[in-house]
Structures are given as C-alpha cells and as structure tokens.
Amino acid sequence: VASPFHAMGRFPPRFFAPRIGILVTLGLALGACQVAKPARAAAPAEIVQWNGAQSSVTHATQRVLRDEAAWNAFWPEVRQAQPRAFDPAREMAVAVFLGERRTGGYTVRVVSATPQDGQLVVTYQESAPPAGSLVTQALTYPWTLAVLPRSPLPVMFRPAHPTQPSPAQK
C-alpha cells in the first residue's frame, strides 16, 4: 500500500502499517469506554421553536395547533415557509403572538411546557429592547411557535414574568 508520502520518498509503507493498527485499536477502546459510562439523568430537551417580528396577527393572542391544517394555516400568517413537516400523531405546536409593538427589538419565546393540575402550562417570556438601544422605528408584531410532544391536556398560557408596557407601547 503506497501512501502519498511514500510517493514523495519521505516515509516507507512500513512506517504507516503499525500506526494504523494502533489508531484503530485506540478508537475501538475509546468507543467502548463511551458505551460503558453509566447513564445520567437526561437534561430537559430544548424546545424547538421559530420566531419573528412580523405577522398578520396584530393583537396579543395564543394558539394551540394540534392538526396539519392548523400548522399549514399558521405559516402564511407569519409570512414564512414551513420549516419542516408536522406529525400531529406525535406532536403539537403552541404559538404566542405579542400583538403590535411600536418599535423593533421585542421577542418572545416559550420557556417551558409542564403538566400541572390537569393542564399543560406553557410558560412564555417576552423580551423588550434595553432602554436607549437602537431599534427599528417601525411597527412590529412579534411571535413564536414551539413544537411540543403531543398532549391531550387543555393548554394554559402563562407569562414568565408579567411585563410592564414600555413608553413605546403606550
């Protein structure tokens, strides 16, 4: 087996053969160590979500999308193409619209979704731009959509921290 180095006359083939064997053995040993590690408690899965600053929904509202028709109808409202297929047998989606904001810089994200007292409590957090920051001087309509494991429970939305309206919102 000739190597590129052998062709250049730097290393003979016998230089590579033992080292390749050592590398393969080392790789297998490290792989076995990975498998042999004790299992740890799984960290909570990160919630897959999309968000944006523009939508055709101009008022604050929340939605639960449990079927493909609702998923398909959602994306034209936020003026985006569907990022992936939706499997209503295994998943559902929740959407939070903040309504009209007088400037850019506002965002919203789903922080958690936990079953509590016979309901699925979806906690979301709104972020406002820091005071004095440079922001787009245009009306925005922030939104987020999060995909969750399917649940038959009724959904209740809860803000993470009640936000006070900024002067720009009043």
Side-chain angles (χ1 to χ4, degrees), residues 57-60 97-103 139-142 168-169:
V57 179
T58 59
H59 57 283
F97 296 90
L98 293 182
E100 184 177 284
R101 299 294 184 263
R102 298 184 70 184
T103 68
L139 296 177
T140 59
Y141 305 91
Q169 289 177 291

Side-chain angles (χ1 to χ4, degrees), residues 18-93:
R19 285 161 182 78
I20 290 173
I22 291 170
L23 289 175
V24 169
T25 304
L26 183 59
L28 291 173
L30 288 173
C33 290
Q34 296 259 335
V35 174
K37 285 185 180 179
R40 294 185 204 159
E46 187 174 319
I47 297 172
V48 175
Q49 57 191 309
W50 298 268
N51 54 43
Q54 295 297 329
S55 77
S56 62
V57 179
T58 59
H59 57 283
T61 190
Q62 300 90 30
R63 292 190 197 156
V64 179
L65 291 68
R66 295 186 188 266
D67 57 43
E68 201 167 351
W71 175 265
N72 292 338
F74 174 84
W75 295 103
E77 287 185 297
V78 296
R79 302 174 186 125
Q80 290 194 13
Q82 291 183 21
R84 67 173 182 82
F86 181 70
D87 183 1
R90 297 178 353 150
E91 58 193 10
M92 60 190 253

Side-chain angles (χ1 to χ4, degrees), residues 98 101 106-108 124-128 158-166 169-170:
L98 293 182
R101 299 294 184 263
Y106 290 89
T107 61
V108 61
Y124 64 94
Q125 183 169 16
E126 175 181 350
S127 296
R158 178 183 301 160
H161 300 288
T163 56
Q164 298 297 321
S166 71
Q169 289 177 291
K170 293 180 179 178

Side-chain angles (χ1 to χ4, degrees), residues 113-122 151 153-156 158:
T114 55
Q116 292 178 356
D117 302 322
Q119 297 179 7
L120 183 64
V121 178
V122 173
S151 172
L153 297 174
V155 177
M156 183 181 87
R158 178 183 301 160

